[in-house]
Amino acid sequence: TQSTWGIVKGHAYLPLSVMLRGLAALTKSPQIKSGAEARVCAVLGSQWGDEGKGKLVDILAQRYDICARFNGGANAGHTLVVNGKKYAFHLLPCGMLYPNVKNIIGNGVVVHVPTMFEELEQLHKDNIDTTGRLLISNRAHLLFDVHMIVDGMQEKALPSGGLGTTKRGIGPCYSTKATRSGIRVGDLLHPEKLERLLPRLIENYRRQFDISFDTKAELEKYKFYAEKLKPMIIDSVHYVNHAINSGKTVLAEGANAAMLDLDFGTYPFVTSSPTTIGGICTGLGIAPSKIDCAVGVVKAYTTRVGEGPFPTELNDETGQSLRKIGHEFGATTGRPRRCGWLDIPVVRYAHLINNFDSINITKLDVLSHLPEIQIGVAYTINGQVLPEGYMPSTIEELSQVKVQYETVKGWQCDISQVKKFDDLPAAAKSYIKRIEELTNCPVSWIGTGPARNEMLSRDSAV
């Protein structure tokens, strides 16, 4: 400012103290972007899902005007612990727990309406008012019970145990979307159209799979749902963009994770929707330039549910201990998760696709009992180290990889009450710093326990 400058013999000068403050500002480490102050923030899974995305979304949601789901369906499972009570959301955005947050189920989601109302009822029983706070895109596709029946039949027909789907009808619903034979939420507002489209959808499946299904009962059920849903149905593309242009903030809540992405994951052992940052653009109708922060959620070790390659998997007592201490059982299916060491090539690949501004390391406390911890730092095939960020595209190639490991010292003490990074045990801090070095991405959040308040931040703005 003008008053900052001094005048000596007609010449302007900056006092030394001002110059030193300016130099300090230039040399100061850049602030970590944690999502706490973004306009549009994406929270995305970086492994095979179940990283604990819901907890970070829950923490951030209170800072945002809108919390939105953009992909998947009731195959997602976000378990939140609030005041000692567990909430398992499969369709609802995590912002439903905050009275001032609007929640949107975007056009990229497939919606099983009965599941959605079951989750709403859980909130109502705990006296959480949801009136006017849940909005559903008129372009989102409806997932019917017949989709679930077909999903189970298709999975059962596959050799060698199938793909390991949740049998929630996700794949068949996205299939009808892709073949332009699906039914969208907005179609519920036109009863005569629903009466035409739903019997045709069911009849197509009856011919293909020889199933028995009560079409009339399903039609009556959805006519009833249509009346309940009317106040919730909106043009979400216009709503979200108008909100952003008006200065509102949006938190995009990812389901599943990078290695389950339909295009970039370990195909065919993947989900049926885009799980990476591009899915926000197609699943909410937001331009890429409007997303100004992306946080990748990375479990301090690696887990996977279902079939498919898992290079760092531990089929031993260590793997069993991680499953037991980490309560590694699926929120949606209850299936035990496969456990292994942290896989850096997987995280690098997710970072390559999503360009994370920072990482949230979750469940660091689960490793606290171990005297030594291994980190998978590189893949090799036939003795050749694969380039950083490269991920084999076929199951056959990925099955051939060998993992190079680094061994680091464990901390072997309780960290659940630690609130500041500097107060973590030296070995725990070294583990986090090594992850930052290997991924070339700063760590903004660290989960030290299952409770909502057991998450420390390295962002000074929090």
Side-chain angles (χ1 to χ4, degrees), residues 329-349:
F329 298 90
T332 299
T333 63
R335 291 180 294 178
R337 297 175 185 141
R338 299 153 64 190
C339 298
W341 297 120
L342 179 61
D343 189 323
I344 292 297
V346 162
V347 181
R348 283 175 178 155
Y349 178 62

Side-chain angles (χ1 to χ4, degrees), residues 72-308:
N75 57 333
H78 291 171
T79 302
L80 308 176
V81 181
V82 182
N83 297 325
K85 183 172 181 60
K86 280 188 177 183
Y87 293 92
F89 288 165
H90 301 280
L91 261 176
L92 295 181
C94 294
M96 292 301 299
L97 295 173
Y98 290 99
N100 297 321
V101 179
K102 293 284 189 181
N103 295 267
I104 294 177
I105 295 176
N107 61 275
V109 179
V110 290
V111 185
H112 185 242
V113 177
T115 296
M116 189 190 77
F117 279 119
E118 286 172 13
E119 292 183 22
L120 284 171
E121 183 59 29
Q122 178 194 11
L123 296 176
H124 297 159
K125 285 180 180 179
D126 290 333
N127 298 315
I128 296 174
D129 186 10
T130 64
T131 306
R133 295 199 302 111
L134 178 63
L135 305 171
I136 308 167
S137 174
N138 54 6
R139 291 176 170 86
H141 275 249
L142 290 165
L143 191 155
F144 296 96
D145 289 350
V146 70
H147 286 120
M148 295 185 179
I149 294 170
V150 169
D151 197 4
M153 294 178 71
Q154 289 179 325
E155 181 75 3
K156 188 176 180 180
L158 291 171
S160 306
L163 296 173
T165 75
T166 59
K167 302 182 182 67
R168 294 297 181 99
I170 308 300
C173 188
Y174 277 114
S175 294
T176 54
K177 176 179 179 177
T179 57
R180 284 95 66 200
S181 58
I183 301 172
R184 304 202 293 186
V185 170
D187 294 329
L188 293 175
L189 302 178
H190 305 280
E192 72 289 347
K193 187 176 184 181
L194 185 66
E195 289 177 358
R196 184 178 75 254
L197 294 180
L198 185 54
R200 186 174 70 185
L201 174 72
I202 294 170
E203 182 58 31
N204 284 341
Y205 275 137
R206 185 180 284 118
R207 287 199 302 267
Q208 291 179 64
F209 296 96
D210 192 27
I211 59 173
S212 176
F213 194 83
D214 192 336
T215 302
K216 184 177 180 181
E218 188 80 340
L219 191 57
E220 290 304 312
K221 184 167 68 174
Y222 273 84
K223 285 181 180 178
F224 169 74
Y225 285 144
E227 291 302 314
K228 296 182 71 174
L229 288 170
K230 268 184 184 178
M232 305 180 193
I233 300 173
I234 62 164
D235 184 330
S236 61
V237 178
H238 177 268
Y239 184 96
V240 171
N241 281 284
H242 178 73
I244 295 170
N245 294 339
S246 301
K248 300 288 187 182
T249 54
V250 177
L251 182 62
E253 175 183 348
N256 312 119
M259 297 305 289
L260 295 174
D261 186 276
L262 182 59
D263 288 294
F264 304 117
T266 48
Y267 190 89
F269 299 100
V270 293
T271 191
S272 303
S273 65
T275 63
T276 46
I277 198 161
I280 298 172
C281 303
T282 58
L284 286 177
I286 296 176
S289 58
K290 291 183 178 178
I291 304 169
D292 56 355
C293 182
V295 181
V297 184
V298 179
K299 196 176 288 185
Y301 47 103
T302 310
T303 61
R304 177 167 197 169
V305 171
E307 303 300 318

Side-chain angles (χ1 to χ4, degrees), residues 367-415:
L367 301 179
S368 294
H369 67 293
L370 298 170
E372 288 185 337
I373 300 165
Q374 290 190 294
I375 306 172
V377 296
Y379 288 166
T380 66
I381 293 180
N382 298 325
Q384 297 294 313
V385 177
L386 301 187
E388 285 191 16
Y390 176 84
M391 183 60 58
S393 65
T394 66
I395 297 303
E396 291 76 16
E397 189 181 7
L398 187 57
S399 298
Q400 294 176 36
V401 304
K402 304 294 182 185
V403 183
Q404 291 183 346
Y405 289 98
E406 285 183 7
T407 301
V408 298
K409 185 180 178 182
W411 44 95
Q412 293 188 285
C413 63
D414 179 27
I415 61 170

